[in-house]
Amino acid sequence: MSKERRVPHQFEGESLESVFVGRRDGEARPTVILIPTVMGVSDLEIGFGKQLVELGYNALVADIFGKEFHGAPRDTCFGEMTRLRSDRAALRRRLQHVLEIARKEDGVSENQIVVAGYCFGGQCALDLARSGADIAAAVSFHGLFDPPGLPKEKIKAKVVAFHGWDDPMVPPEKVVALGNELTEAGCDWQIHAYGHVGHGFTNPHASDLQIDGVAYNALAAERSWTSFISLLEELFG
Amino acid sequence: MSKERRVPHQFEGESLESVFVGRRDGEARPTVILIPTVMGVSDLEIGFGKQLVELGYNALVADIFGKEFHGAPRDTCFGEMTRLRSDRAALRRRLQHVLEIARKEDGVSENQIVVAGYCFGGQCALDLARSGADIAAAVSFHGLFDPPGLPKEKIKAKVVAFHGWDDPMVPPEKVVALGNELTEAGCDWQIHAYGHVGHGFTNPHASDLQIDGVAYNALAAERSWTSFISLLEELFG
């Protein structure tokens, strides 16, 4: 059975609190760092983590914004996202810090780490890959694709982006730009595009955000999850 | 165990010979019509068919060019492809004929037919979907995307295209155009793009064609097959 434990950590003076979901049997397992949507750590990501534990992995649901923002209202969370996106070099350091935290956790096989993120978290997963981090894979679920505008590194991670073609934040030209960027960066990559699917498709409560083009899509949620698990099997099976 | 049987048929005065691969136990099963590459019916597609039979499906490896072209040299096959592509309305009729042949085969569950094709065959699968055919899905493996230039029908099939991003015959603008075309046609669709992968990636002998950008890619072959089987499970599981 999976156990959750709170993982407090400090980054440049800020107090963060991530959530580790895993078995406590002393065995080191492949681990997925799950980076939440703009709304921060929630039951959604913890639930995904529990599903991963059932399949033999661990999950660390990473706190990016800070403990004080857990459960904060929408506009506050969007404000934090905007703050972090405005300095991508600082965001990169923050993500590298999260990776270090994950590596130190009990039960984490430190060379078998995958980073997967949702919406803003998807951009974070890509940004960590773009930093040249030693991770097995970076996975974006309806993430933002904008490159960070930092010096380019060789990407070592395998990259997979699950993308809704009607995502109003990521039009087709950005999909093409990501493909070309990842090709240039030399990494093994995939983009799975889904027709008639918008932003936020993995989140059953996406419509609560009341943003046009942001909605749950059960089929795309299922397909992307199935392909994600196939990737984990390809890496660690 | 699977049995192969030759299926002779006639289309507009031409003699074709497809190959049915399936069990002969009288049970009706979901069936995949496999449309070969430009080289026509070969052991490659029959081998894919046998794998499908192991998973509980039937396969009909469709002869598109005609019996006299089985095993023909490369240039002859390319000539036939060019001939058929030059009249997409006639090609559509030919594909509708193949679908009818499949429906009549013993052991075929006629409302559970998927059409999957390779290279030129991928275009054929898309063209059959574009005709508004009553098929469960149309799947393109490194297929050509050019629309047929015929009056547009509502597409009923689910469409999936597995695509190598470096395919010299299908540059990124054609990927975007396909996404937009399928969105307009109202169908459920997916495009899976693979980085550093060219044309012909499912075929271990693709390099024999000696065409730049045409090469086998084991990882893309495996990923696309895994996703294809997931689709069949989604449809018929």
Side-chain angles (χ1 to χ4, degrees), chain A residues 187-189 191 193 195 223 234, chain B residues 188-189 191 193 195-196 223 234:
Chain A
C187 67
D188 172 13
W189 66 264
I191 298 174
R223 287 171 175 173
E234 177 189 305
Chain B
D188 172 13
W189 66 263
I191 298 174
H196 309 287
R223 287 170 175 172
E234 176 188 307

Side-chain angles (χ1 to χ4, degrees), chain A residues 173-201:
Chain A
E173 61 267 26
K174 292 196 179 182
V175 179
V176 172
L178 181 67
N180 294 340
E181 180 200 347
L182 295 174
T183 294
E184 206 184 307
C187 67
D188 172 13
W189 66 264
Q190 303 176 61
I191 298 174
H192 294 198
Y194 305 119
H196 308 286
V197 174
H199 193 78
F201 59 80

Side-chain angles (χ1 to χ4, degrees), chain A residues 112-160:
Chain A
Q112 295 184 302
I113 294 180
V114 165
V115 179
Y118 301 84
C119 308
F120 167 60
Q123 185 198 284
C124 291
L126 293 182
D127 270 15
L128 195 55
R130 285 160 167 150
S131 76
D134 261 322
I135 50 177
V139 179
S140 163
F141 292 88
H142 43 81
L144 307 175
F145 291 172
D146 320 70
L150 298 169
K152 291 182 178 173
E153 309 288 341
K154 181 162 169 43
I155 295 180
K156 295 170 197 151
K158 290 172 189 273
V159 173
V160 185

Side-chain angles (χ1 to χ4, degrees), chain A residues 158 165-166 172 175-176 179-180 182-183 186-196 219 223 226-227 230-231 234, chain B residues 158 165-166 172 175-176 179-180 182-183 186-196 219 223 226-227 230-231 234:
Chain A
K158 290 172 189 273
W165 194 252
D166 294 344
V175 179
V176 172
N180 294 340
L182 295 174
T183 294
C187 67
D188 172 13
W189 66 264
Q190 303 176 61
I191 298 174
H192 294 198
Y194 305 119
H196 308 286
L219 199 51
R223 287 171 175 173
T226 299
S227 292
S230 293
L231 175 75
E234 177 189 305
Chain B
K158 291 172 189 270
W165 193 251
D166 294 344
V175 179
V176 171
N180 294 340
L182 296 173
T183 294
C187 68
D188 172 13
W189 66 263
Q190 304 177 59
I191 298 174
H192 294 198
Y194 305 120
H196 309 287
L219 199 51
R223 287 170 175 172
T226 299
S227 292
S230 294
L231 175 76
E234 176 188 307

